[in-house]
Amino acid sequence: MPKAAKKADAAALPVARDLTLIDIRRPPWLDQILLPWRQCAQRILVVADGLDFNESNGFGLTRFLLALETASPHGLAPVIHIAHRADSDDVASAAMKAKFTFHKNFRFVDSGAAHALMNGAARRFDQLWIFGIGSAPIPDAEVRVIAAFMAAQGGVFATGDHENLGQGMSGRLPRIRKMREWSGVPIGGPNRIDTVNQPSPDGEWNFNSQSDTLPQRIFPHFDSATGSPLAHPLLRLPGSTDPRFGVIDVLPDHPHESECYAGSALHQPYDLVSGIDGNEFPALPGSSTRLAPQIVATSVSGGRIAEKGPVAPRCFGAISAYDGHRVSLGRIVCDATWHHFVNINLDGTGAAGRSGLGAFVPPGSNNFVPNAAFGKIAQYYRNIAQWIAPVRWCRWYLDLVAIRYTFPLYEEVRELPPRPPWPELVALGARVEAALDLRDGRGSAAGLVGELLAAQPAFEALAGVNGAASPAPLLPTAEFRLGVLGTLAHTVFAGLPAEPWALRAQFEKSRDPHAEVDKLFARAVAQALRDGPAHYAQAARGTLAVLEKLARPEKAAR
């Protein structure tokens, strides 16, 4: 490749701008190998219809966007487009237009960005983030575009606010319509949802307390299906070894939010817009059980700000999620309110005398220094982008490459036998699990194995192998998972050079590294699904022989 072309490609390569916020160990050679993997960066379309993209607006999304653009554990920043349904240039600042591609007068049916949202090899976006205020329904044709995107495993995030704010864009979307309340939560009175549950540090307890330094407390839901209690991936912190403390347990507070649901009447067909699959919540492969959304975190409404008075205290769903990958659909995340994302709640813009979840240093400057709570919330944004992303094995491949050449694997795994027995693959899997969980958060390795086996329908029914419950496990599931991970790691590591400095030259020789990685992962999974069951079958035959002898003592005595 000519030097000039290499420089142009390098300049266009999206690399995370502020990796200090991610708190990952980043080896110095990693930036040098990213160029061949630029297609692995997530492509995100953020759409608003009343909020905007101005730093000076309390209802702007700029502080959130600055955190979102660092959403990559391996350094490839997402490619973000911002779109607004208003036909105005004023809805985005010059700084935001310079940083992100901007679309005004956006419609899902007649703009270049919208058409690129559709399915097919030329699809330009992987994720759609919807921040709605309008209550008037968007046309049926636009609903069909979004539904087709979701059916093609595009990831979607959707939110609104109290009453029917946001219902226009999201209230008729398949699955999303049942994952959040889009009309019934009031703005006032004791039945509103008020999470400003404590006075500000200065003693005030009013509307502007939503812009002070104190967030609301949320309570993550923990799952023990993999043998250890884990918060949902949306709420995990990277670098934590204790699943109880390594979680995101705060969000911005607000005096009138909405709430999220785990879905209901999942069997009822979708019939709001013609031309959309009526099987809204498909059953899991090999099962009659429909895959349901889940509540990821619960919060408490117990505020009593001066302007609105006290509420009737209650718990409510703050975040809901749908793991559509398990049924060949896109993943979905819904949030109770976009006040968890706008400037007035994050940096105090528009609230006199407040600086949100941080401080401007020095006072009066534009240098915002986030506090610890904001750091957790920014990680929540990045986790959404990671979780709803369509399956793309290059992301996991780059993670495995990174841990291969960093401590402790760089010291512990120096030589690899060509075809190790299953127990050795299980042991390698345990080492890789520890390294991945330290890098990306507890449970990351389990997420990778889950993604690998989600494409194997025969294993959906095996207890624990893919998170499904069963009274009679067919395999030692925790060990089997480690064996699958060890087989994948062995396959990847065997194709890498001895030292990381040789990676770039190796990658640049490849015509299509993404296709090669897809084949590599498929080969590793196929091998694990052969070797693992064969190992356990052989062990079972030995056990059965011993049991048969014990059951016939007269034969055993001869």
Side-chain angles (χ1 to χ4, degrees):
M1 179 184 295
K3 291 184 178 180
K6 286 188 176 181
K7 288 182 178 180
D9 281 347
L13 176 65
V15 177
R17 280 89 168 162
D18 189 2
L19 288 165
T20 59
L21 290 176
I22 305 179
D23 191 28
I24 62 172
R25 294 172 296 173
R26 185 173 178 78
W29 47 264
L30 190 55
D31 282 328
Q32 299 181 18
I33 70 168
L34 292 179
L35 186 58
W37 301 99
R38 58 188 179 275
Q39 294 180 28
C40 200
Q42 283 295 297
R43 303 162 299 181
I44 299 174
L45 176 64
V46 179
V47 180
D49 63 356
L51 308 181
D52 70 18
F53 308 108
N54 282 296
E55 296 87 346
S56 60
N57 185 6
F59 286 72
L61 291 162
T62 55
R63 191 65 62 184
F64 147 73
L65 286 169
L66 293 177
L68 180 64
E69 70 169 342
T70 65
S72 178
H74 48 68
L76 283 172
V79 178
I80 300 175
H81 289 224
I82 54 177
H84 205 285
R85 294 179 72 82
D87 187 11
S88 171
D89 288 312
D90 297 334
V91 294
S93 68
M96 290 293 104
K97 292 175 184 175
K99 186 177 287 289
F100 309 115
T101 302
F102 170 63
H103 307 269
K104 67 178 181 179
N105 195 27
F106 178 82
R107 297 296 183 270
F108 287 101
V109 293
D110 59 5
S111 72
H115 291 157
L117 186 69
M118 292 295 287
N119 316 328
R123 190 176 77 185
R124 193 166 58 183
F125 296 107
D126 303 298
Q127 304 180 24
L128 170 63
W129 293 55
I130 305 174
F131 293 89
I133 286 183
S135 58
I138 61 175
D140 289 0
E142 295 195 75
V143 176
R144 292 189 192 98
V145 170
I146 301 172
F149 177 74
M150 297 162 69
Q153 301 195 35
V156 176
F157 169 84
T159 189
D161 198 24
H162 55 77
E163 295 179 325
N164 60 359
L165 299 189
Q167 187 181 48
M169 279 199 287
S170 298
R172 297 193 300 158
L173 296 179
R175 293 172 291 286
I176 289 173
R177 66 184 183 124
K178 292 189 174 183
M179 292 176 59
R180 188 187 176 280
E181 180 57 56
W182 295 102
S183 63
V185 179
I187 187 175
N191 292 323
R192 76 182 191 278
I193 293 178
D194 185 342
T195 60
V196 186
N197 294 324
Q198 57 187 325
S200 297
D202 59 6
E204 295 290 335
W205 201 349
N206 53 32
F207 197 83
N208 277 352
S209 294
Q210 69 173 328
S211 304
D212 63 21
T213 57
L214 302 176
Q216 65 169 298
R217 174 79 183 276
I218 63 172
F219 300 87
H221 291 208
F222 286 80
D223 181 10
S224 299
T226 58
S228 176
L230 293 171
H232 192 278
L234 293 171
L235 298 180
R236 296 177 193 163
L237 290 172
S240 173
T241 58
D242 191 324
R244 299 172 301 157
F245 300 106
V247 296
I248 298 165
D249 53 7
V250 293
L251 283 175
D253 52 7
H254 181 62
H256 34 70
E257 304 191 12
S258 188
E259 62 181 317
C260 296
Y261 299 134
S264 60
L266 305 184
H267 64 285
Q268 293 180 351
Y270 176 90
D271 60 1
L272 298 183
V273 175
S274 63
I276 295 175
D277 187 358
N279 188 17
E280 188 172 15
F281 293 94
L284 292 163
S287 171
S288 60
T289 301
R290 295 181 182 274
L291 178 64
Q294 63 183 114
I295 295 297
V296 169
T298 294
S299 189
V300 176
S301 172
R304 46 186 188 272
I305 65 169
E307 295 90 340
K308 290 180 174 288
V311 297
R314 70 180 180 94
C315 296
F316 68 97
I319 305 167
S320 59
Y322 180 76
D323 189 1
H325 291 178
R326 297 179 66 189
V327 289
S328 299
L329 295 171
R331 283 176 170 170
I332 301 168
V333 173
C334 289
D335 193 289
T337 175
W338 34 249
H339 275 281
H340 299 160
F341 298 80
V342 294
N343 295 339
I344 191 172
N345 300 89
L346 296 176
D347 63 15
T349 299
R354 302 292 188 186
S355 61
L357 300 172
F360 288 91
V361 181
S365 72
N366 292 324
N367 181 39
F368 180 73
V369 179
N371 63 17
F374 186 96
K376 287 185 173 183
I377 292 163
Q379 186 61 48
Y380 165 55
Y381 304 155
R382 294 188 282 265
N383 286 352
I384 296 173
Q386 289 294 330
W387 192 74
I388 67 174
V391 174
R392 198 174 286 167
W393 298 125
C394 53
R395 173 261 164 114
W396 293 109
Y397 178 81
L398 289 171
D399 276 351
L400 291 172
V401 170
I403 65 171
R404 175 66 182 92
Y405 297 109
T406 52
F407 178 83
L409 293 186
Y410 190 55
E411 293 182 359
E412 294 178 353
V413 185
R414 294 300 296 172
E415 295 184 4
L416 295 167
R419 189 68 182 268
W422 185 256
E424 291 186 20
L425 292 172
V426 171
L428 176 60
R431 291 173 173 172
V432 171
E433 178 184 53
L436 279 176
D437 285 359
L438 180 63
R439 175 184 171 81
D440 295 337
R442 186 71 178 269
S444 297
L448 167 55
V449 175
E451 291 282 11
L452 289 169
L453 296 177
Q456 308 295 326
F459 280 81
E460 182 72 47
L462 293 179
V465 170
N466 206 26
S470 170
L474 301 179
L475 295 175
T477 55
E479 182 180 294
F480 179 77
R481 285 175 174 270
L482 292 176
V484 173
L485 183 59
T487 303
L488 175 64
H490 181 273
T491 304
V492 171
F493 295 168
L496 298 177
E499 301 297 335
W501 312 109
L503 280 169
R504 180 172 182 176
Q506 177 174 314
F507 289 159
E508 288 182 345
K509 291 178 182 178
S510 174
R511 293 184 176 181
D512 190 347
H514 299 274
E516 292 177 9
V517 165
D518 289 348
K519 293 178 181 178
L520 190 75
F521 274 55
R523 185 170 72 248
V525 173
Q527 179 182 328
L529 296 185
R530 288 192 307 268
D531 293 354
H535 170 81
Y536 296 118
Q538 183 177 0
R541 284 192 292 269
T543 302
L544 181 60
V546 172
L547 292 175
E548 287 178 340
K549 287 183 179 180
L550 292 175
R552 300 175 182 177
E554 68 282 358
K555 287 189 176 182
R558 293 177 185 174

